[in-house]
Every structure is written in C-alpha cells, then in structure tokens.
Amino acid sequence: MNDAQPIDALIIGGGFYGAAIAVYLARQRGLRHIVLVEREAALMQRASFNNQARVHNGYHYPRSFTTAYRSRVNLPRFVSDWPAIIKQDFTKLYAIARRNSKVTARQFERFCRDIGAPIQPASPALRGLFEPRLIEAVFEVQEFAFDSSKLAQWAEQALRECEVQVRCQTQVTALYRGSEGGIEAVLRRADGDESRLHCRYAFNCTYSGLNQLGGDFPGIQAQLKQEITEMPLLQMPAALDSLGITLMDGPFFSMMPFPAKGLHSLSHVRYTPHLHWQDEPGRNPYDKLQHYPRQSRVDHMLRDVERYIPAVRGARYVESLFEVKTVLVMNESNDARPILFEKHAHLPGSYSVLGGKIDNIYDVLEKLDAEPFTRPD
C-alpha cells in the first residue's frame, strides 16, 4: 500500500534524538506533517534507555577541551529544558588513581577550572571510602543523572502535542529519489506489510543502524565502530547509595545512579565492551546483539572496583543492560565526542544524525538551525 498524503518530514528512529528533532521541526521550523518511525514497540527502548544516564558537565573529557566545554555550556540548558527528568540529589565524586591514570590530580583540577566546572576536595569522610594507596585525590563535583523512563514520557507527550504521527513496530528499509522530487521511503511493519511514503525531508536517527538503509541512500561517509556493551545495574550498600563515583582517567570505571530503576549502573573501560567490529552496510548490528550470548562480566568489574572502594563488597547485582554502542572511529582514541551530522547530496533532503551524549542534542539543533527548510504551503 502507499501513503496518499505526502508529508513534510520522516524521522527514522524513535530514540531521544529522533523525538527531539521531530519536536524541533514542528515547533521551531513550522513543519506540519511529520511521521516518526520506530522499530520497537515503544519510544526510547534502545540506546536512549540502555546507557549510563549521565548528563555530562565536562569532567569526563580532560583530553578534549572542546567536548568538555560544550558539555559545560549544554548542561544548564538541558537541566532547564527537562527539569522533571533530572536527578540531582546525590553527591558526585571524581577520583584520580595513583597509577595508570592519563591525568594527575593537579592536571585534573586545573582542567576543571579552565572549563569553569565546579570542583572541590572531597570531605575526609568521603575520601575515607577509597583505598589511599591507590588513589591520589578525590574531588566533589557537580554532575547529574537523568530518568530515561520520564524522558520517554516527555517524548510521547511532546510528539502528541505537535501532532507528529508515531508508527512503532515499523522499520524504514530503503530511501529512493522521488520521481517528482522529494524522497520515497519504503516502510515495513512487524507483520511484514510494506508501504511507501513520500516526504520532503528524511532524518536517519537510527544510531547503530545508520548504514542499514537500502535504495538510493548512499550510506554515511564517516567510519563507525560498533560495540556490544554491558551495563550492570546494582543495588548499592548504604555507604554508596547516595553517591556517583568516577575513577579517572585510564582503564577505570564509573558508578552512577540509574533513576529509571532506582539502582546504580556500573561501567568499566576494560569489561563493558564485549565485542566490537567495523560498521558496514548489510551487517546489521541489532542481529548480532540478538544472537550474542550475553554472559555478564559483572564479577570481573566488581573485583576491580573493590580494590579502590572496599565498600562495594556490599553491592547486590540485579541485572545487566546489553546494547550496541556506536562510536566514530576518528574519535575512539581520544576524549572527543562530537556529533555526526551528514547531509546527503546524493539524496537531496536526507540527513543522518548521531550523538554519543544526550546533551549533544543542542549541537544537532544548531546544525538544523542553519538548514533552509521550506515551510509547507
């Protein structure tokens, strides 16, 4: 079947970026007929949920001033725009290891002051949670978490208010140049039914699936690396329950509140990535994830964390979130986390967007501000 009514914009992917772009196009650019397509049964069920739920404030990127500074600029705006989803009632600590760290305590403190990020030495009580032979310094900083479930609720309400048509359990399989201009999209529902839809603009916001569209879609120019990652969720003991802790900056770890489930997440540079490969068309990363055995490495993570924070012995493992993480190859060896924003000249009106951090949404919107979208008649 074919959709008889041409639309202004097709959004492919119902994660945070796809939803935010749809809302932006409706509210800021005046596009009236927008369709958002999501392969899952509901919005924000994949990478937008299965992550560490951190709103960065720059501290994580001492080797990329640009990324750190952009986080500092974006955080207060993000908190102002989405106050209902933000968790602030915890203390965030950054600790610097004595060995194998790529930044010293002095360097880290100077870096924070350079980007204007609040930092102060942790109290003796908090410092006492760490093994002093392995930790050079502990700092109290200002960093927040977000509730992925509440963010999904925002998306559903905002899209409804903007009269964006949401089609879940549906995939876009191909994009073609329309015979009379615009773009023809091939849609396939979970039941196998296919249809075509004509649109003026198409936004590929599929994260790990950016290269999985057929037809005239040219693929993205940037090289991508795909990783299957594990994010364990833990019930923390009382001494750690009101804390978020990041050990910098090498083969270390981070523990953050995970508000959507009332638990803490744990990521570890060595053990979180399970499997990786270079992305290419036709090699579907979600198929690889579906068939991956998902054997947890949480025991390895906790044994390493325990060396630095003995109190973590009292943590209780609940479950693990497995997901495909997508990174730009050009940035995998440094701290930089720029957005990917590609405008495909070979398929006029089509764009691909990738962001590695939730607060990067403003970098995307700034790019879109510069695009000359024409309003419908």
Side-chain angles (χ1 to χ4, degrees):
M1 58 171 289
N2 292 327
D3 285 77
Q5 174 71 44
I7 65 166
D8 297 323
L10 170 65
I11 313 297
I12 311 169
F16 173 63
Y17 275 58
I21 288 172
V23 171
Y24 163 87
L25 293 173
R27 289 178 174 171
Q28 271 69 54
R29 304 306 297 271
L31 301 189
R32 292 195 292 266
H33 304 291
I34 301 172
V35 173
L36 184 149
V37 173
E38 166 56 40
R39 60 180 287 162
E40 302 296 331
L43 300 176
M44 299 193 193
Q45 299 299 297
R46 301 304 302 256
S48 293
F49 188 91
N50 298 328
N51 63 75
Q52 199 157 42
R54 183 203 309 259
V55 186
H56 285 274
N57 202 7
Y59 304 101
H60 219 64
Y61 306 104
R63 289 175 286 129
S64 177
F65 183 88
T66 300
T67 298
Y69 185 74
R70 288 298 300 178
S71 292
R72 284 286 300 125
V73 171
N74 290 338
L75 177 135
R77 185 176 176 186
F78 189 91
V79 173
S80 175
D81 287 346
W82 284 278
I85 74 163
I86 300 297
K87 179 178 176 61
Q88 304 185 36
D89 59 343
F90 67 98
T91 300
K92 185 61 199 290
L93 304 176
Y94 271 72
I96 310 299
R98 293 190 184 276
R99 293 184 290 276
N100 297 322
S101 178
K102 298 177 182 179
V103 62
T104 66
R106 180 175 295 182
Q107 289 169 339
F108 183 71
E109 194 168 15
R110 183 170 62 247
F111 156 75
C112 292
R113 300 202 188 285
D114 286 345
I115 65 171
I119 184 172
Q120 63 182 18
S123 67
L126 292 174
R127 181 71 172 79
L129 293 170
F130 297 82
E131 170 52 61
R133 293 172 299 175
L134 300 179
I135 297 296
E136 179 187 0
V138 181
F139 299 101
E140 184 174 341
V141 302
Q142 186 181 72
E143 198 170 62
F144 307 137
F146 65 91
D147 190 319
S148 307
S149 295
K150 291 182 179 179
L151 191 60
Q153 293 170 9
W154 163 82
E156 292 171 359
Q157 179 177 342
L159 292 170
R160 188 165 50 249
E161 291 173 353
C162 293
E163 299 183 339
V164 173
Q165 182 185 147
V166 177
R167 302 187 187 181
C168 290
Q169 293 186 299
T170 305
Q171 296 184 59
V172 175
T173 60
L175 297 175
Y176 294 95
R177 289 185 294 276
S179 58
E180 299 180 1
I183 300 169
E184 294 284 343
V186 179
L187 281 62
R188 180 184 298 153
R189 294 193 324 211
D191 61 9
D193 182 53
E194 286 196 350
S195 62
R196 285 183 174 251
L197 183 150
H198 184 269
C199 57
R200 302 166 70 195
Y201 305 106
F203 297 85
N204 180 12
C205 305
T206 53
Y207 190 62
S208 296
L210 286 177
N211 272 323
Q212 303 307 311
L213 297 176
D216 294 327
F217 181 75
I220 64 170
Q221 296 180 358
Q223 289 186 310
L224 301 179
K225 176 183 175 181
Q226 307 283 17
E227 298 178 342
I228 292 180
T229 61
E230 177 190 5
M231 190 76 69
L233 299 181
L234 309 166
Q235 182 67 60
M236 286 295 173
L240 303 176
D241 190 51
S242 62
L243 301 176
I245 298 173
T246 297
L247 183 60
M248 293 287 285
D249 168 37
F252 300 132
F253 58 84
S254 186
M255 300 185 297
M256 286 286 293
F258 193 81
K261 296 205 171 186
L263 299 169
H264 273 61
S265 63
L266 172 61
S267 65
H268 194 291
V269 171
R270 182 178 296 118
Y271 299 115
T272 288
H274 280 230
L275 178 70
H276 65 84
W277 66 95
Q278 298 299 113
D279 184 64
E280 58 186 23
R283 195 177 186 186
N284 193 313
Y286 299 115
D287 288 345
K288 291 182 73 71
L289 177 63
Q290 182 179 355
H291 295 98
Y292 188 70
R294 305 191 184 201
Q295 295 178 346
S296 179
R297 296 177 178 175
V298 65
D299 290 342
H300 297 287
M301 298 185 196
L302 288 173
R303 277 197 294 271
D304 192 48
V305 174
E306 187 180 314
R307 295 191 298 129
Y308 299 93
I309 310 171
V312 84
R313 292 190 194 102
R316 181 177 64 87
Y317 171 63
V318 178
E319 63 176 309
S320 287
L321 305 176
F322 283 85
E323 190 53 88
V324 181
K325 178 182 178 181
T326 303
V327 296
L328 293 168
V329 170
M330 65 180 180
N331 298 122
E332 65 176 330
S333 62
N334 59 35
D335 282 338
R337 292 296 181 271
I339 61 166
L340 167 74
F341 185 90
E342 289 191 7
K343 184 177 180 179
H344 304 296
H346 183 71
L347 186 60
S350 66
Y351 301 79
S352 290
V353 176
L354 171 72
K357 303 190 294 98
I358 193 168
D359 49 278
N360 273 353
I361 187 60
Y362 297 109
D363 299 344
V364 175
L365 300 184
E366 286 181 10
K367 292 284 189 181
L368 293 175
D369 283 340
E371 292 299 309
F373 300 127
T374 56
R375 291 174 179 264
D377 296 332

